[in-house]
Amino acid sequence: MGVSGSGKSTVGARLAPRLGVPFADADSYHPRANIEKMSAGIPLTDEDRAPWLASMADWLSQHTGSGAVLVCSALKRRYRDRLRQASSRLFFLHLDGSYELIAGRLAGREGHFMPAGLLRSQFEALEPLAADEPGAVVPIDGTVERTTARALALTGTAPR
């Protein structure tokens, strides 16, 4: 989980094979209307996100036995709670970095529908993991490999 540009897709795609589990990116679950809205610089509402969260929860429920890596912003507690309904074993890794670090990354990113102008709204919406939520914070201040290694260590799961 984390704001756009925090490295979720990159780290998740590296983490899943190391854990020997399937991988999915929440961006591919957005309905076209959501992508158009975000592309226009308009933040999504909770109503916009409801079918998106339902699709991801469905995917997670299909992998409760084997485990999986799903990368998703999951910025608010209620979104994470919705996903947890699909899998009680869900463990969140919050890829965390400063606004300045992530804004710099977004400035150089090409080919993504999420404009850098929405980053501030994502930081404002972000509700950090609460003490009662299974998960951990992963600092993203190093290389992708270092962030992936940190994430892997925090899962408490040996690679398969």
Side-chain angles (χ1 to χ4, degrees):
M1 65 167 276
V3 299
S4 183
S6 61
K8 299 181 301 291
S9 298
T10 302
V11 171
R14 290 171 180 239
L15 190 60
R18 292 184 187 177
L19 294 172
V21 298
F23 169 77
D25 190 324
D27 284 349
S28 64
Y29 289 86
H30 274 298
R32 185 84 213 138
N34 284 9
I35 292 172
E36 289 171 1
K37 198 171 184 179
M38 287 183 285
S39 295
I42 303 167
L44 298 179
T45 65
D46 286 349
E47 294 76 30
D48 295 327
R49 287 187 181 91
W52 174 67
L53 286 165
S55 294
M56 290 182 302
D58 181 56
W59 186 84
L60 283 170
S61 70
Q62 296 171 32
H63 297 91
T64 55
S66 65
V69 171
L70 170 69
V71 295
C72 170
S73 54
L75 298 177
K76 295 184 180 183
R77 167 78 185 243
R78 66 179 163 268
Y79 305 158
R80 297 187 297 269
D81 288 347
R82 172 64 183 100
L83 295 174
R84 258 193 300 278
Q85 290 173 358
S87 176
S88 61
R89 295 180 17 196
L90 209 54
F91 186 84
F92 289 94
L93 293 172
H94 175 192
L95 300 189
D96 186 44
S98 69
Y99 177 86
E100 294 74 23
L101 172 66
I102 296 172
R105 289 180 177 184
L106 285 178
R109 183 163 80 171
E110 295 178 10
H112 195 276
F113 60 82
M114 182 71 154
L118 287 180
L119 182 60
R120 179 63 63 197
S121 70
Q122 288 212 323
F123 268 92
E124 290 168 357
L126 177 63
E127 296 172 3
L129 290 168
D132 65 334
E133 289 185 275
V137 175
V138 181
I140 62 166
D141 56 352
T143 64
V144 171
E145 273 307 316
R146 182 173 179 197
T147 302
T148 304
R150 287 173 171 169
L152 184 61
L154 289 167
T155 67
T157 305
R160 293 183 190 174

